[in-house]
Amino acid sequence: MPVAELDGIEIAYELVGEGQPWVLTPGGRFTKEVGGLPEMARALADRGKQVLTWDRPNCGASSVVFRGESESEVQAEALGALLRHLDLGPTVIAGGSGGSRISLLAAARNPDVTAGLAMWWISGGVPGLLQLANYYCMPSADVAWHGGMADVVELDQWQEVLASNPRNRERFLSMDRQEFIETMDRWMLAYCPCDDSLVPGLNDDDIARLSVPILVFRSGASDMSHTRVTSETLAAGLPGAQLVEPPWDDNEWNERRAAVEDVGSLFARWPLLVPQLVDWADRTIGDERSSS
């Protein structure tokens, strides 16, 4: 498994296929091996695309990193650096759930390596955002407050990154406890649904930099975690974005959550997106290339 070392951060990745470069990012803290993602990458590769999948900081075999205003910004920064390191050229950046947020921030802040942007299952709404703060940050904050970094590394949510990259244990243990707690405070606050931001961390300057084709899949009306209004408002607020219906029914997210113990992944049906994604890219980004 290839690993890039970028400014002291190890980023594990895989490349499949040849052709127009794409990068796929899943949600949660799931790895590049999560069910549905390798299959989606292979389906895109079969359609003439070169596809990058990667473990974000704090996921899989990559380094744990605790700094900055939000975990999303850390991961978006790492994606921009990885794309430059691999010298893929302008890349179609695509992702769902938490991966949509990373993709959006990465595309806005790294226009030199962005050819297009595609997103689905975009987190939003008061319950959706507050549950992110609780899911990503609260367990570590609570344990650090009442113990120390040796207790943080015992949390279930960190066992995969410790097993996949043994160096991560020392990264945890070498962190100052108070600094870690302050980082968790900032990262939780980043998810606060307290203003008019379309997506946590996205500002007006970010939006102004987006000048590539953008595809947004509409979320289901029954989806509390990725609300329909979030997808519709985001598509309306981004320059030139196209809002389309996904290849599944309104209850998709709820059904995937209910079936995750049997199927093993929330993202098992993501390969169904490939025909629409390829058609959109071939029409919009392909035309841009031929006219430049």
Side-chain angles (χ1 to χ4, degrees), residues 26-278:
R29 286 204 180 104
F30 293 102
T31 77
K32 57 184 173 55
E33 304 300 334
V34 65
L37 200 73
E39 294 83 357
M40 186 177 185
R42 174 48 59 190
L44 283 164
D46 290 344
R47 300 284 292 266
K49 313 301 180 186
Q50 183 181 37
V51 188
L52 168 68
T53 55
W54 64 303
D55 286 343
R56 294 155 288 161
N58 304 337
C59 306
S62 292
S63 301
V64 292
V65 181
F66 300 99
R67 67 187 186 199
E69 292 304 308
S70 74
E71 187 171 23
S72 299
E73 290 189 0
V74 168
Q75 294 175 345
E77 180 182 275
L79 178 53
L82 179 61
L83 291 174
R84 292 188 191 91
H85 172 78
L86 296 175
D87 196 25
L88 297 178
T91 299
V92 180
I93 300 178
S97 196
S100 66
R101 185 171 56 255
I102 308 311
S103 297
L104 175 56
L105 293 174
R109 298 178 184 186
N110 300 275
D112 58 307
V113 292
T114 304
L117 171 64
M119 298 172 286
W120 54 95
W121 288 1
I122 303 152
S123 301
V126 173
L129 293 178
L130 291 181
Q131 70 182 359
L132 293 181
N134 184 64
Y135 172 74
Y136 286 116
C137 304
M138 185 58 74
S140 293
D142 180 59
V143 169
W145 263 100
H146 297 100
M149 298 309 298
D151 300 293
V152 174
V153 297
E154 297 303 320
L155 287 170
D156 288 344
Q157 67 177 189
W158 296 120
Q159 296 316 299
E160 186 169 41
V161 296
L162 294 171
S164 300
N165 187 334
R167 295 183 183 89
N168 282 331
R169 180 172 295 275
E170 181 56 33
R171 292 184 176 108
F172 272 112
L173 296 177
S174 64
M175 279 206 69
D176 177 78
R177 169 182 171 273
Q178 186 58 38
E179 181 182 342
F180 181 80
I181 289 171
E182 291 170 359
T183 300
M184 291 298 99
D185 286 352
R186 290 195 308 275
W187 285 13
M188 281 190 279
L189 189 60
Y191 292 116
C192 179
C194 305
D195 55 31
D196 297 330
S197 298
L198 295 174
V199 165
L202 186 75
N203 58 43
D204 290 343
D205 289 339
D206 293 328
I207 294 172
R209 284 192 291 267
L210 284 166
S211 59
V212 296
I214 300 172
L215 186 68
V216 177
F217 288 91
R218 193 193 311 270
S219 293
S222 64
D223 189 341
M224 184 185 75
S225 299
H226 322 93
T227 64
R228 171 163 287 183
V229 70
T230 299
S231 62
E232 293 174 341
T233 303
L234 183 65
L238 297 180
Q242 179 183 356
L243 181 69
V244 298
E245 300 299 329
W248 44 61
D249 64 25
D250 180 82
N251 208 37
E252 177 71 9
W253 170 250
N254 298 322
E255 292 173 354
R256 299 284 67 74
R257 286 185 63 191
V260 69
E261 290 190 9
D262 294 328
V263 177
S265 174
L266 294 165
F267 316 128
R269 282 162 52 89
W270 279 13
L272 296 176
L273 294 162
V274 168
Q276 283 174 271
L277 287 167
V278 170

